[in-house]
Amino acid sequence: MAKLYYQGHASIRITTNSGVVIYYDPYAGDGYELPADLILVTHQHQDHNKIELPARAADCVVYQNTDALKDGIYQKTTIHGVEIEATEAYNKNHPRESCVGYLLRVDGVLLYLAGDTSMTDQMRSGDLAARHIDYAFLPIDGQYNMDVNEAIACADLIKARHTVPMHMTFDGIFDRKIAEKLRVPGQLIIAAGEEIDLSAPSTCA
């Protein structure tokens, strides 16, 4: 079973069942000692792109927003067995043409890592809801991205099995009081420094 370690702020480490190690927007917290097979970056703000932090495997791939969005087209690819699809991410602080989120399929589990964003046309269209996302990670700081109320509205559109708050403040890595305000069906709060198993929905009746 894949495991997800929340490093804090917008930084995540995922380890697949086969041992592939993925870092997403490295910047905050600890846990960078496992050699990376894949490093994902959503945009080039300094609190998302510290690609020098993780140790790297010999065949590590660094996949950034410039790879994921080319000529206005959101790219799809598979790297080390991980399916990756770039998604819309934008607001007044994050230009549409230089920011992305990601859909990742890991060991049969679909994660939506929204990046720095507010509500997007892709959310409104129902495209994300149609994907039957297992875990949606949404920023909720209300200064550089959507606030809690907008994130609740986004969660209602996305309809993920679990919705996880992240990027709660700009200068801190985790704030439980803010996280608890994201009251939605399937709410899941992961504290900085906490690791969870990424489980797929049960197929049993």
Side-chain angles (χ1 to χ4, degrees), residues 75-92:
Q75 303 295 307
K76 296 181 184 180
T77 189
T78 299
I79 300 173
H80 295 308
V82 178
E83 297 176 26
I84 305 165
E85 180 178 345
T87 64
E88 295 178 354
Y90 58 86
N91 56 31
K92 65 180 181 180

Side-chain angles (χ1 to χ4, degrees), residues 38-39 54 56 62 67 81-82 124-125 130 136-137 143 155 176 185 190:
L38 173 61
I39 300 173
R56 297 192 192 185
V62 179
D67 305 298
V82 178
R124 294 186 188 94
S125 72
F137 289 78
Q143 182 176 2
R176 183 171 293 277
I190 308 172

